Amino acid sequence: MIHIILRKKLSCFVLAFFLFAIVCVWKEMKKGSYYDSLKWETEGSPLVMGLGKMAMGSGPQSKVSTQHLRRSNQALNCTKASAKAKPQPSFQVWNKDSSSKNLPSRLQNIRKNYLNMNKYKVSYKGPGPGVKLSAEALRCHLRNHVNVSMVESIDFPFNTSEWEGYLPKENIRTKAGPWGKCAVVSSAGSLKSSQLGREIDDHDAVLRFNAAPTANFQQDVGTKTTIRLINSQLVTIEGRFLKDSLYNEGILIVWDPSVYHSDIPEWYQHPDYSFFNNYKSYRKMHPNQPFYILRPQMPWELWDILQEISPEEIQPNPPSSGMLGIMIMMTLCDQVDIYEFLPSKRKTDICYYYQKFFDIACTMGAYHPLLFEKNMVKHLNQGADEDIYLHGKATLPGFRSTHC
Ligand SMILES: *[C@@H]1O[C@H](CO)[C@@H](O)[C@H](O)[C@H]1NC(C)=O
Ligand SMILES: *[C@@H]1O[C@H](CO)[C@@H](O)[C@H](O)[C@H]1NC(C)=O
Ligand SMILES: *[C@@H]1O[C@H](CO)[C@@H](O)[C@H](O)[C@H]1NC(C)=O
């Protein structure tokens, strides 16, 4: 009798031991998953709490695991094994539902001022705000409604004698792509010390913005420039536009904000910056370099979708060059890797990697509806959050590989 009881007790003990051992091993395995590691790290700026929230969303599961661990700790000490495990970094990245309420009050006020000013006479009549679309549906929506194309020599008034010979003869599609893997390199200060140069150069085509240099920054931003997207302000008022050899490489595309949904003749009468004379001067100096003018309707076609999917009013100003560049590459490439548009762990208030100028508006947006653009890119991202956190890299499929 006693013998049997002892045996029963022994087998119970053995069973319990195995149970706790399994719990210990399971705990260690769970630690390997960084989503889980975030459960314990929900502090941090509300704007980058996306992952924290996601982990908290798995509430019931995490409660169970905590109970298990407590129970097991009472009988068997698991902490020795845990102490041996490497501490896991947390990967807090951009939250795709970031709201303007989380902006510093200065930027909230700037946004309100732009809403009141409505410089471009925006009168949005589309669906929304706050229409929820899956990433796939949003990609199709963008592909079908944002016409990425350039001003052509048949468009009035570019068909007049005043413009004869100035616009490139070939359609941009014959000069650019189609490419496989493309890189869009932001000018963010957080590219400094990123060591991403080699990875960026490894792409079939690289798009850069405005005056962003590669010389002296090759290690971090690479050397290749296939397309440079520049704003009309730079062409108009920066004396060095006509002199600096920085602009002589690759395909140039200039864009200028128009009044909301005005057509080319209307816009031509009232450009934001009258860049046309300097455009012509540059063309005379570099007739063989492709230099396109983005159709002024395109930024507003994109803006409409940003407004449609955002749950609040976005700044009634055109999207950032960054967002326009992403759209351009999505039309020319199968895959677009975007560097430091969604900030990495190197996130800084330094605006550009090539200047010592501090302003949080460069990351969060003041004039441009940058916050909402970043929400959209995060929603479309197919890469891992780890890549955003470590490399500032988001990966979007191009429209050519989008089946609608
Ligand atoms: C487990 O062991 C550690 C030292 O290795 C000790 O600090 C801790 O209090 C122990 N916990 C339990 C529940 O026995
Ligand atoms: C896009 O714009 C170009 C130039 O105006 C036009 O020729 C083309 O038909 C447009 N494409 C779509 C899909 O609307
Ligand atoms: C330019 O285009 C406009 C509008 O399509 C047309 O009316 C005009 O005749 C064209 N001008 C020339 C010189 O072809």
Side-chain angles (χ1 to χ4, degrees):
M1 226 18 208
I2 291 164
H3 199 65
I4 291 167
I5 290 170
L6 259 176
R7 246 178 36 201
K8 261 192 186 164
K9 268 191 179 164
L10 194 70
S11 52
C12 269
F13 183 77
V14 168
L15 204 77
F17 179 83
F18 272 103
L19 244 162
F20 292 134
I22 286 165
V23 167
C24 274
V25 168
W26 178 71
K27 187 193 166 193
E28 287 310 302
M29 277 167 65
K30 289 271 305 187
K31 281 193 139 190
S33 140
Y34 73 74
Y35 281 100
D36 217 67
S37 72
L38 279 163
K39 216 163 28 202
W40 321 108
E41 309 207 23
T42 43
E43 83 276 12
S45 117
L47 281 168
V48 291
M49 266 181 51
L51 271 174
K53 267 196 195 156
M54 213 142 96
M56 286 195 288
S58 65
Q61 215 184 339
S62 46
K63 244 180 231 154
V64 169
S65 70
T66 338
Q67 273 169 11
H68 267 263
L69 290 177
R70 242 180 244 137
R71 249 184 261 145
S72 62
N73 266 352
Q74 280 160 7
L76 195 97
N77 196 334
C78 287
T79 49
K80 243 181 205 161
S82 332
K84 263 187 231 154
K86 266 186 263 161
Q88 293 293 317
S90 62
F91 297 97
Q92 295 181 348
V93 297
W94 189 270
N95 174 3
K96 76 178 171 65
D97 297 315
S98 297
S99 147
S100 68
K101 288 193 197 80
N102 301 127
L103 291 171
S105 60
R106 178 176 73 94
L107 296 186
Q108 290 195 28
N109 288 335
I110 292 175
R111 175 174 157 272
K112 279 187 202 126
N113 288 343
Y114 279 123
L115 281 166
N116 292 332
M117 208 189 306
N118 197 7
K119 178 178 174 192
Y120 301 99
K121 303 189 171 63
V122 171
S123 56
Y124 177 73
K125 303 236 165 49
V131 172
K132 290 222 184 315
L133 296 174
S134 69
E136 291 72 34
L138 176 55
R139 257 201 332 266
C140 288
H141 204 47
L142 288 166
R143 194 186 79 165
N144 295 338
H145 293 97
V146 184
N147 186 352
V148 179
S149 54
M150 307 295 146
V151 171
E152 290 173 33
S153 54
I154 52 164
D155 296 317
F156 180 80
F158 295 87
N159 66 352
T160 58
S161 58
E162 215 181 302
W163 274 91
E164 203 176 332
Y166 281 111
L167 292 183
K169 284 185 188 67
E170 296 97 344
N171 188 292
I172 189 165
R173 303 294 178 103
T174 65
K175 290 273 172 195
W179 290 301
K181 267 176 65 182
C182 297
V184 172
V185 186
S186 80
S187 304
S190 45
L191 273 162
K192 202 93 195 285
S193 309
S194 68
Q195 300 288 317
L196 285 167
R198 194 169 293 174
E199 179 178 329
I200 288 168
D201 278 344
D202 212 26
H203 289 78
D204 300 325
V206 178
L207 183 142
R208 301 182 195 275
F209 299 95
N210 295 322
T214 52
N216 303 321
F217 300 96
Q218 295 96 329
Q219 291 255 338
D220 294 331
V221 304
T223 58
K224 192 189 275 184
T225 305
T226 320
I227 299 183
R228 187 176 287 275
L229 180 62
I230 54 185
N231 59 46
S232 54
Q233 180 182 356
L234 185 146
V235 174
T236 312
I237 63 177
E238 285 247 355
R240 68 195 191 110
F241 174 66
L242 293 174
K243 298 185 203 113
D244 197 331
S245 64
L246 171 82
Y247 301 102
N248 303 160
E249 191 188 345
I251 299 167
L252 293 177
I253 302 175
V254 61
W255 76 280
D256 177 75
S258 66
V259 165
Y260 188 62
H261 285 312
S262 56
D263 60 16
I264 293 175
E266 277 168 2
W267 159 71
Y268 192 79
Q269 297 298 315
H270 308 282
D272 213 22
Y273 284 89
S274 189
F275 66 95
F276 302 115
N277 283 339
N278 272 1
Y279 173 86
K280 286 178 176 174
S281 302
Y282 189 96
R283 289 288 291 159
K284 271 189 232 161
M285 292 161 67
H286 307 279
N288 296 323
Q289 185 184 13
F291 187 178
Y292 293 92
I293 303 172
L294 188 69
R295 268 176 66 256
Q297 295 96 325
M298 181 268 184
W300 290 116
E301 290 161 0
L302 174 59
W303 186 94
D304 282 349
I305 293 179
L306 282 166
Q307 180 58 86
E308 180 181 342
I309 64 170
S310 301
E312 54 187 317
E313 279 191 291
I314 71 172
Q315 286 95 322
N317 299 325
S320 67
S321 289
M323 194 63 235
L324 298 176
I326 292 168
M327 288 298 299
I328 290 171
M329 283 318 226
M330 282 175 82
T331 61
L332 301 173
C333 313
D334 295 330
Q335 181 189 313
V336 185
D337 292 330
I338 303 156
Y339 291 93
E340 290 290 2
F341 187 69
L342 302 180
S344 69
K345 62 177 180 180
R346 294 179 297 272
K347 180 168 170 285
T348 162
D349 289 347
I350 300 172
C351 279
Y352 308 112
Y353 66 81
Y354 52 92
Q355 278 176 6
K356 284 203 171 64
F357 176 67
F358 292 78
D359 190 348
I360 192 181
C362 294
T363 305
M364 295 304 179
Y367 171 84
H368 297 294
L370 199 53
L371 179 89
F372 307 99
E373 298 170 7
K374 293 187 186 206
N375 287 352
M376 183 167 87
V377 168
K378 179 66 174 74
H379 186 41
L380 292 170
N381 179 41
Q382 289 197 328
D385 283 327
E386 186 177 356
D387 283 332
I388 300 173
Y389 183 80
L390 295 177
H391 310 297
K393 174 179 166 186
T395 300
L396 271 49
F399 295 133
R400 276 157 32 86
S401 48
T402 300
H403 304 286
C404 300

